Amino acid sequence: MNSARHDILARPEDRPHFIARDLRGLLESHPAPKQDGDWFTCANAAVRVVDGNLVVAPNDHADELDIVRAACNAVWSHVDAGGKINTDSIPHFTTL
């Protein structure tokens, strides 16, 4: 995968296990995303899927990489349950 968008929209067999800015990330710990109701969180980031749209909770302290990690889990869970994603709702991420 070469972008956050590709990670988020990846088919099950292509989904990454680790998401980092570059290969140095392989040597760093990766916070695990968690589900809390319909919200998926990772560190200070929180996202959910509402009516097929990815919704990112506003938080000035959330790292964009953690938003991507949470977004992957939210979208993957939604799609795996048979839902569709409005790809226009996925924001442009600059860190990946």
Side-chain angles (χ1 to χ4, degrees), residues 4-54:
R5 183 178 186 82
H6 287 127
D7 290 343
I8 294 168
L9 296 174
R11 296 177 303 181
E13 63 271 15
D14 295 329
R15 293 175 182 168
H17 296 282
F18 297 102
I19 299 173
R21 288 178 178 85
D22 57 35
L23 290 176
R24 290 175 291 192
L26 295 174
L27 301 174
E28 300 170 357
S29 65
H30 292 247
K34 298 174 183 163
Q35 185 174 1
D36 183 12
D38 60 347
W39 287 96
F40 289 78
T41 62
C42 185
N44 291 322
V47 303
R48 65 183 175 165
V49 175
V50 177
D51 298 326
N53 294 299
L54 182 66

Side-chain angles (χ1 to χ4, degrees), residues 3 5-6 10-11 24 26 34 38 47 50-51 55 57-59 63 67-68 74-77 79 85 89:
S3 73
R5 183 178 186 82
H6 287 127
R11 296 177 303 181
R24 290 175 291 192
L26 295 174
K34 298 174 183 163
D38 60 347
V47 303
V50 177
D51 298 326
V55 177
N59 184 338
D63 183 280
I67 296 171
V68 171
V75 169
W76 297 347
S77 177
V79 169
I85 291 293
S89 72

